[in-house]
Amino acid sequence: MGYKSLQACITDLEKNGHLVRIKQEVDPHLQMAAIHLRVFEHEGPAILFENVKGSRFPALSNLFGTLDRSKFIFRDTLEKIKTLVDIKNDPIKAVKQPFKYAGTALTALSALPMRVGKNAPVAFGRTQISELPQVINWPMDGGPFVTMPQVYTEDIDKPGIMNANLGMYRIQLGGNNYIQDKEIGLHYQLHRGIGVHQTKANAKGQPLKVSIFVGGPPSHPVAAVMPLPEGLSEMTFAGALGNRRFRYFYDAEGFCISADADFVITGTVMPMENKPEGPFGDHLGYYSLQHPFPLMKVHNVYHRKDAVWSFTVVGRPPQEDTSFGALIHEITGSAIPKEIPGLHAVNAVDAAGVHPLLFAIGSERYTPYVKERHPAELITIANHILGKGQLSLAKYLFIAAKEDNPGLDVNDIGGFLKHILQRLDLTRDLHFHTRTTIDTLDYSGEGLNSGSKVAVTVAGDIKRELWTELPSTFSLPRPIVNYKMAMPGVLAVEIPKNIRQSDMPLILDILQEHLTGADLNGLPLMVLCDDASFTAATINNLVWVTFTRSNPSHDIYGINSFTEHKHWGCHGPLMIDARIKPHHAPVLERDPAVEKTVDAMGAKGGVLHGII
């Protein structure tokens, strides 16, 4: 089967118990997001808000809230699309196993985009930006945003849908100093396809035409976030995954229109014309702050007769985009490892905000004749990873040798870190990259997009037994009074709130003097933090605090550290300063008053009773 529209998908989900309708009026200012967050936390159904305050259009969220629901939506095509992606990554498979892959060419051909007439459903009516659901997710957000868009642009030198880019970049609909209904903000980060198109348009001094699709068959937003193999277009992928060709036409002004979308916003981006965009509560668990981003001048807003506004809420993981990630992994499998020789597995750790932390497993085969094994090939693989697309935005990369533990799993956070810490040679295994690019949304660095990286490469035998509890002889000096074991070999150390950033050299000197000479081999890592109890409470808290609040070049220290021929190391323990710094973005916090309204909906007799 293939859904012809988002409405068809809604009907199917409701029929099979995967959707809840909320008929009472809900406020798009914080309340809808709060409901979504609570339902997602309980692995609840998709949510159809039928009565959105200030808008005549209903809204849908949590569509991809669980991997099981995504598999249900694409139950007839998932295996087929996995085969298509597999053969695009390794075409020689079709030669070796022709019968297994016989239908793949037909799949791709039948999924090619199809141009249709201008009487498509999305051309039913026109509206204005201010009449759309003005969803605001977090209290300090700069205005309403589109959080589930499909942003379409074409290559100005090679126009046409087969050379187009479809990506998911957030869109600010109002607030700041945007002219209502005439201007909106377009935010995209490093390593995004739209950037190539805008660069070409800027060079020619021409406006870039942008079409923003919202809703449509669920295969369309999935295509917008998929890291596809070279030569496989997002629109072809959407057709194959949705079992329905991507239908499109061009309006009178020459904008590409997705015929099956629920809404299409068209507009132009002029060269070097920006306006402040943000703040926005983002997927690292903090606000991305206000910065200049491309200004889009609105031309038209189209909608279909039964249009449903699609949105999601991002915040500290896990969130719906976590489930998106699980679906992407389900489809692509080990696509990225196949592109890097010697790499067996890689995981952008969701609990740490995705980009800040990567776990990887590689082969260590460079010196099999050496008795004492050490990282060599792993360093080559690490450099390859940190130069690969969006993986290059990572700050921390921990990579281990498959030969040391064939059962090692990059998705087991605690187990993987334990493996690393047991074998880590602090004098040898840390490799820094300074003054380089990091994720746009990460404010731990020196400025927008700017920070540092460290690759921790580990190979060889176990070097230490990790402490699981502190020895009775262990202590830390005042002013430090609270510290807790967060996991084997890791101590969360709370720095008092009255300690200023300028006081940190003194604190480090005090720790250095107190710990020098002590046997700390079982404690390779100390995390300096604002709240030791919170940091040590769960492994997710530990990696979120440690890796979202630190910049390797500035915040990694060590007891008895040294620099030799520009290589930094220490004789241990390693210390990561993961306190919130003055230049960091604020942490996302929910509005207590709004939370009470959600509590009421979950009480007996409420529409969400039994769901939350």
Side-chain angles (χ1 to χ4, degrees):
M1 63 178 291
Y3 298 119
K4 294 182 177 180
S5 64
L6 181 57
Q7 191 64 250
C9 178
I10 289 170
T11 300
D12 186 40
L13 290 177
E14 185 170 34
K15 177 183 174 183
N16 289 277
H18 290 290
L19 181 134
V20 61
R21 290 177 180 264
I22 297 181
K23 297 182 181 296
Q24 69 191 67
E25 185 182 70
V26 289
D27 196 334
H29 184 269
L30 303 183
Q31 188 184 28
M32 287 168 63
I35 293 168
H36 167 103
L37 289 170
R38 200 79 67 85
V39 172
F40 174 83
E41 287 169 359
H42 288 80
E43 298 185 352
I47 314 163
L48 182 63
F49 300 93
E50 293 189 331
N51 189 359
V52 179
K53 184 177 179 181
S55 178
R56 58 194 167 101
F57 299 107
L60 177 75
S61 78
N62 206 36
L63 178 62
F64 304 101
T66 68
L67 180 58
D68 284 345
R69 184 154 59 252
S70 294
K71 286 183 174 181
F72 173 81
I73 291 171
F74 302 117
R75 58 194 180 276
D76 295 329
T77 58
L78 203 54
E79 291 306 314
K80 179 179 69 173
I81 200 70
K82 286 161 68 173
T83 301
L84 177 63
V85 171
D86 189 39
I87 197 170
K88 288 294 290 186
N89 280 307
D90 189 2
I92 200 68
K93 285 185 176 181
V95 177
K96 292 180 177 179
Q97 304 176 62
F99 295 108
K100 179 180 178 181
Y101 295 100
T104 303
L106 183 61
T107 297
L109 186 64
S110 63
L112 289 176
M114 182 172 72
R115 191 161 180 168
V116 298
K118 297 182 180 181
N119 59 343
V122 75
F124 170 81
R126 299 193 189 191
T127 185
Q128 297 188 92
I129 296 294
S130 57
E131 294 178 346
L132 303 172
Q134 305 292 296
V135 181
I136 296 177
N137 291 344
W138 296 98
M140 290 172 56
D141 279 358
F145 284 82
V146 189
T147 53
M148 192 73 83
Q150 308 142 46
V151 182
Y152 177 97
T153 55
E154 294 186 3
D155 188 324
I156 201 165
D157 293 331
K158 295 181 289 184
I161 198 163
M162 295 309 292
N163 294 310
N165 177 74
L166 190 71
M168 192 170 285
Y169 322 113
R170 74 176 191 240
I171 308 296
Q172 186 167 351
L173 295 178
N176 297 348
N177 59 344
Y178 296 115
I179 300 173
Q180 184 68 64
D181 296 321
K182 295 182 179 180
E183 298 176 343
I184 58 179
L186 175 59
H187 177 115
Y188 67 85
Q189 298 149 246
L190 300 178
H191 294 284
R192 300 303 199 264
I194 187 176
V196 176
H197 291 173
Q198 189 179 356
T199 299
K200 287 186 175 183
N202 286 354
K204 294 178 179 291
Q206 296 180 17
L208 178 68
K209 288 187 173 182
V210 179
S211 300
I212 300 167
F213 313 143
V214 179
S219 61
H220 293 191
V222 174
V225 296
M226 277 294 297
L228 295 174
E230 191 73 25
L232 181 59
S233 84
E234 289 90 358
M235 278 57 70
T236 299
F237 178 87
L241 179 61
N243 211 16
R244 176 178 170 82
R245 295 172 68 180
F246 186 96
R247 287 156 166 76
Y248 71 100
F249 64 93
Y250 288 88
D251 71 2
E253 296 180 332
F255 288 91
C256 184
I257 308 297
S258 169
D260 288 339
D262 285 68
F263 299 88
V264 177
I265 304 169
T266 64
T268 51
V269 176
M270 299 299 293
M272 309 311 295
E273 192 168 346
N274 304 323
K275 275 194 175 183
E277 184 265 3
F280 178 77
D282 227 311
H283 71 264
L284 267 70
Y286 308 88
Y287 287 94
S288 57
L289 303 179
Q290 190 178 94
H291 296 284
F293 275 96
L295 173 69
M296 178 171 158
K297 295 182 178 178
V298 178
H299 285 225
N300 288 293
V301 183
Y302 301 96
H303 70 90
R304 57 190 298 145
K305 184 177 183 180
D306 55 353
V308 177
W309 184 256
S310 182
F311 77 97
T312 189
V313 183
V314 292
R316 180 188 163 184
Q319 299 294 348
E320 187 177 359
D321 51 357
T322 303
S323 301
F324 247 133
L327 177 62
I328 289 170
H329 187 266
E330 180 79 16
I331 294 170
T332 61
S334 55
I336 291 175
K338 291 174 184 174
E339 298 178 22
I340 299 178
L343 179 63
H344 298 284
V346 63
N347 176 33
V349 181
D350 185 69
V354 183
H355 284 136
L357 178 63
L358 296 181
F359 287 165
I361 297 172
S363 288
E364 186 50 72
R365 304 163 296 188
Y366 277 5
T367 53
Y369 47 83
V370 176
K371 183 177 180 180
E372 183 180 348
R373 298 174 62 253
H374 63 274
E377 185 176 5
L378 291 186
I379 299 172
T380 300
I381 297 169
N383 287 333
H384 201 155
I385 291 171
L386 292 177
K388 186 74 177 175
Q390 292 189 43
L391 295 179
S392 69
L393 301 179
K395 290 189 303 183
Y396 288 85
L397 167 60
F398 291 81
I399 183 168
K402 183 178 180 65
E403 293 78 9
D404 294 332
N405 181 0
L408 190 61
D409 182 2
V410 292
N411 298 297
D412 176 7
I413 299 175
F416 193 89
L417 284 175
K418 182 179 179 181
H419 176 99
I420 294 286
L421 295 174
Q422 285 176 324
R423 293 165 174 80
L424 178 62
D425 184 339
L426 290 164
T427 68
R428 179 193 67 195
D429 292 342
L430 279 73
H431 309 276
F432 287 85
H433 299 249
T434 61
R435 295 191 176 182
T436 185
T437 53
I438 61 173
D439 188 2
T440 305
L441 308 177
D442 190 329
Y443 287 86
S444 65
E446 304 154 83
L448 192 66
N449 301 321
S450 179
S452 64
K453 310 178 189 301
V454 64
V456 181
T457 60
V458 172
D461 297 331
I462 291 176
K463 294 179 172 58
R464 63 181 63 82
E465 289 300 317
L466 302 175
W467 288 358
T468 56
E469 58 183 30
L470 293 173
S472 59
T473 56
F474 181 86
S475 67
L476 290 179
R478 296 187 67 84
I480 296 167
V481 295
N482 189 24
Y483 43 92
K484 294 181 179 295
M485 292 299 298
M487 63 166 283
V490 182
L491 184 67
V493 179
E494 184 172 318
I495 303 298
K497 296 289 192 295
N498 62 334
I499 301 296
R500 295 169 296 182
Q501 187 69 19
S502 59
D503 296 327
M504 279 308 294
L506 177 60
I507 296 297
L508 294 167
D509 286 344
I510 292 171
L511 287 171
Q512 168 84 22
E513 182 178 354
H514 183 81
L515 295 175
T516 297
D519 181 5
L520 302 173
N521 189 49
L523 184 68
L525 178 59
M526 297 168 62
V527 176
L528 311 184
C529 56
D530 297 305
D531 186 338
S533 296
F534 174 83
T535 302
T538 67
I539 191 72
N540 283 0
N541 283 4
L542 174 65
V543 296
W544 182 62
V545 168
T546 304
F547 300 109
T548 64
R549 298 179 183 179
S550 60
N551 178 19
S553 62
H554 289 53
D555 296 324
I556 287 182
Y557 304 92
I559 300 300
N560 296 323
S561 64
F562 64 90
T563 302
E564 183 177 8
H565 305 305
K566 300 182 178 65
H567 175 82
W568 185 92
C570 64
H571 296 281
L574 193 73
M575 294 189 293
I576 299 179
D577 182 1
R579 297 169 305 117
I580 294 178
K581 319 297 193 301
H583 63 280
H584 287 186
V587 176
L588 299 182
E589 295 180 344
R590 304 186 192 187
D591 186 300
V594 174
E595 291 300 308
K596 288 181 179 179
T597 69
V598 183
D599 291 339
M601 297 175 76
K604 191 172 182 179
V607 66
L608 297 179
H609 180 64
I611 296 176
I612 64 172

